[in-house]
């Protein structure tokens, strides 16, 4: 069991480019969370997805950010027209069921740097 | 809306000391509470999970307690070691959402 896999681990983009971050949950997990961690700050919830459904996106910025979790393949967090303030570590976590009952398992994170 | 607070924000102790990290939350309708450790530039490692029906969990030198009615959890670290230096995060599991505290940055001085 490879755990939660995130890639790329490090991504550098220039302002205005697009960033795509991928998350493959643990085998058997169908629930994915994305969190953002700004430098020297805590983890902020962004979005909670199940396969083919966005359950809660209350933490997502209204513009430029989108997330999906297709029936096949990894979950994708997409940031369009990146700005310097998007530089952060983006963590994905997966769980086997509704968050309340299950342990969150985190990936190692994707660190985005916007030049 | 669940709010999770961790006190202190930072803590520095000499090696060998026992210490307590605190986590408080505003909504007691939780499913579980999880303690994580995060090393600089790294991901999160789960330390302990306490289900809402439980009062405490132990793993090695770590003991976590949960008092739902008062909205508090503590993480007790016995005989601290320099390798314990990290940021410790508590995460409160509600229905379809997990809310994190801002963490306690621990430094254990040899």
């Amino acid at each position: 069991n490879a755990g939660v896999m995130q890639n790329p681990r490090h991504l550098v983009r220039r302002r205005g480019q697009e960033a795509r971050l991928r998350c493959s949950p643990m085998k058997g997990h169908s629930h994915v969370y994305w969190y953002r961690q700004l430098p020297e700050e805590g983890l902020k919830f962004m979005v909670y997805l199940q396969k083919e459904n966005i359950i809660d996106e209350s933490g997502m910025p209204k513009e430029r950010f989108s997330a999906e979790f297709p029936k096949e393949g990894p979950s994708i967090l997409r940031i369009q027209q990146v700005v310097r303030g998007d530089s952060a570590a983006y963590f994905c976590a997966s769980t086997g069921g509704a968050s309340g009952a299950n342990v969150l398992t985190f990936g190692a994170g994707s660190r985005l740097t916007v030049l | 809306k669940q709010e999770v607070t961790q006190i202190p924000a930072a803590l520095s102790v000499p090696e060998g000391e026992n210490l307590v990290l605190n986590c408080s939350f505003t909504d007691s309708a939780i499913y579980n509470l999880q303690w994580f450790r995060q090393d600089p530039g790294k991901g999160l490692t789960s330390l302990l999970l306490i289900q809402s029906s439980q009062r405490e969990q132990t793993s090695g030198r770590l003991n976590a307690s949960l008092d739902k009615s008062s909205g508090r959890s503590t993480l007790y670290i016995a005989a601290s070691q320099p390798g314990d230096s990290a940021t410790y995060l508590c995460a409160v599991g509600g229905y379809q959402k997990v809310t994190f505290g801002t963490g306690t940055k621990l430094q254990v001085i040899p």
Side-chain angles (χ1 to χ4, degrees):
Chain A
N1 191 339
V4 178
M5 303 302 292
Q6 289 189 249
N7 66 83
R9 292 291 309 278
H10 300 275
L11 182 64
V12 179
R13 286 288 179 264
R14 297 192 180 278
R15 280 180 297 169
Q17 292 184 320
E18 178 179 287
R20 281 188 181 230
L21 310 177
R22 288 176 290 278
C23 169
S24 296
M26 280 187 69
K27 188 176 180 180
H29 282 187
S30 57
H31 298 242
V32 165
Y33 294 79
W34 284 94
Y35 288 84
R36 176 164 65 174
Q37 187 174 39
L38 295 168
E40 303 300 321
E41 293 189 16
L43 281 162
K44 299 295 183 189
F45 167 79
M46 297 183 76
V47 62
Y48 165 46
L49 309 105
Q50 296 177 19
K51 287 279 188 183
E52 298 184 281
N53 279 309
I54 297 175
I55 305 302
D56 182 350
E57 57 181 346
S58 59
M60 290 276 273
K62 293 288 184 274
E63 297 177 350
R64 302 188 296 107
F65 284 72
S66 62
E68 63 177 8
F69 189 14
K71 187 176 179 181
E72 301 290 337
S75 175
I76 306 284
L77 180 66
R78 181 181 178 206
I79 312 171
Q80 296 178 288
Q81 298 175 337
V82 296
V83 301
R84 289 216 173 104
D86 296 333
S87 295
Y90 292 83
F91 290 96
C92 166
S94 73
T95 182
S99 71
N102 291 278
V103 175
L104 279 180
T105 302
F106 275 83
S110 292
R111 281 159 180 79
L112 172 66
T113 301
V114 180
L115 301 177
Chain B
K1 178 187 172 187
Q2 180 72 271
E3 293 182 4
V4 182
T5 306
Q6 288 188 246
I7 295 172
L11 183 62
S12 184
V13 300
E15 182 177 2
E17 266 202 15
N18 302 325
L19 57 101
V20 175
L21 308 181
N22 296 291
C23 172
S24 61
F25 46 95
T26 54
D27 185 351
S28 61
I30 69 171
Y31 284 78
N32 60 35
L33 188 144
Q34 198 168 351
W35 282 93
F36 290 88
R37 168 188 174 137
Q38 186 177 27
D39 293 282
K42 299 289 175 70
L44 278 74
T45 301
S46 179
L47 298 173
L48 289 164
L49 169 72
I50 312 176
Q51 299 291 357
S52 64
S53 58
Q54 297 174 323
R55 286 246 173 208
E56 65 177 343
Q57 283 287 328
T58 298
S59 175
R61 294 182 294 108
L62 304 179
N63 175 277
S65 68
L66 174 64
D67 183 343
K68 258 191 1 173
S69 60
S70 66
R72 285 190 284 190
S73 175
T74 60
L75 179 67
Y76 175 82
I77 303 177
S80 58
Q81 302 171 358
D84 295 331
S85 298
T87 296
Y88 290 80
L89 296 155
C90 74
V92 177
Y95 180 65
Q96 293 188 340
K97 183 174 278 188
V98 177
T99 306
F100 279 82
T102 50
T104 294
K105 189 171 184 178
L106 172 66
Q107 182 182 24
V108 180
I109 303 165

